[in-house]
Amino acid sequence: MPKISLKKLNFLKKNKIGISALTSYDASFAKLADNCGIDIILVGDSLGEVIQGNPNTHSVTMNDMCYHTKIVSKAIKKAFLIADMPKNSYKTKNQALKNAKKLVAKNMADMVKIEFQEKDVEIVEHLISHNILVCSHIGILPQTIKNKSDYKKIGKTRSEANRLINEAMLIEKLGSQMLIVECIDEQVAKIISEKLYIPTIGIGSGKSCDGQIRVIYDIFEISFNGVPGFLKSKNKKLNPMKIILEKYITNTNKYKI
Ligand code: KIV
């Protein structure tokens, strides 16, 4: 199967075929997701939490992102690869371009992602004008939030909803080719997904986005800072990773006797 292109992702949106996306940070999980047929892999700065064990993503550096993007890109054959620009790596347009180039160099990432705020208009324009594909992230922006407990759904009031819809339309107009919507009201996510031509990928934003993204460790319910409420299984004993590990530990004890 050929590598998934942006054209293919736009085709999936147009034909209402769900786009699947997952984060990965290492070769083994990336290969597993790729072999299972995932459309998009994001090397997310969530690695600050799930790999580094920090309370948030703020400490992640460009060196971290380059390291993880390199090892993931070497391990996958088909998935479209996005790499996060970490906090403080896109404060000016020149800094953003220099850092984005590091992530897309030598066929590593296909696209970079930024957490979009009003001040980032010229950053997006600058990257696009230098042929860097950009995914913008709206809604809850983890780079501005200290702890998981600060997460709350946004877009419930009319003014917040209008702000998000206008922001999404501006982002498309600026030339961003994809939008991540995190933790926003389902109705607002639906309106945004219907209004935009570019694919919208949701997390904690309901079922109406063009695709869904999850942190891979959340799927296995092993994330360091806990799993988001919308993903927790009712029966904790069914966690597949725990079952495999517990079986291994029990068997190891048996061999000792
Ligand atoms: O860093 C990350 O994993 C992300 C996803 C939650 C979308 O930005």
Side-chain angles (χ1 to χ4, degrees), residues 22-25 42-50 57 65 84 113 115 137 140 142-143 151 180-182 201-203 213-216 218:
L22 266 181
T23 67
S24 292
Y25 320 94
L42 167 71
V43 184
D45 62 356
S46 48
L47 70 86
E49 297 181 55
V50 296
T57 63
M65 289 311 304
D84 252 335
K113 173 163 85 62
E115 294 187 8
H137 181 150
I140 288 285
Q143 289 174 11
Y151 275 56
I180 301 264
V181 293
E182 179 158 7
I201 313 291
I203 174 161
I213 184 158
R214 298 289 179 265
V215 169
I216 195 161
D218 285 348

Side-chain angles (χ1 to χ4, degrees), residues 1-13 17-25 29-44 72-73 76-84 108-113 133-136 177-181 198-202 209-216 219:
M1 208 182 136
K3 196 173 152 59
I4 301 205
S5 60
L6 189 56
K7 197 169 157 202
K8 170 84 189 284
L9 296 171
N10 287 326
F11 170 87
L12 295 179
K13 169 171 177 127
I17 302 169
I19 300 170
S20 58
L22 266 181
T23 67
S24 292
Y25 320 94
F29 271 122
K31 187 175 172 189
L32 174 69
D34 197 53
N35 283 343
C36 289
I38 199 83
D39 296 313
I40 299 173
I41 289 180
L42 167 71
V43 184
V72 166
S73 71
I76 62 174
K77 292 199 166 71
K78 292 166 285 188
F80 187 82
L81 185 60
I82 307 179
D84 252 335
M108 285 195 338
D110 298 303
M111 178 180 257
V112 298
K113 173 163 85 62
L133 299 183
V134 179
C135 172
S136 296
Q177 294 88 350
M178 199 180 295
L179 186 72
I180 301 264
V181 293
I198 59 174
T200 61
I201 313 291
C209 293
D210 303 310
Q212 294 290 331
I213 184 158
R214 298 289 179 265
V215 169
I216 195 161
I219 300 258

Side-chain angles (χ1 to χ4, degrees), residues 217-228:
Y217 291 176
D218 285 348
I219 300 258
F220 295 118
E221 300 193 14
I222 55 168
S223 290
F224 189 75
N225 294 325
V227 175

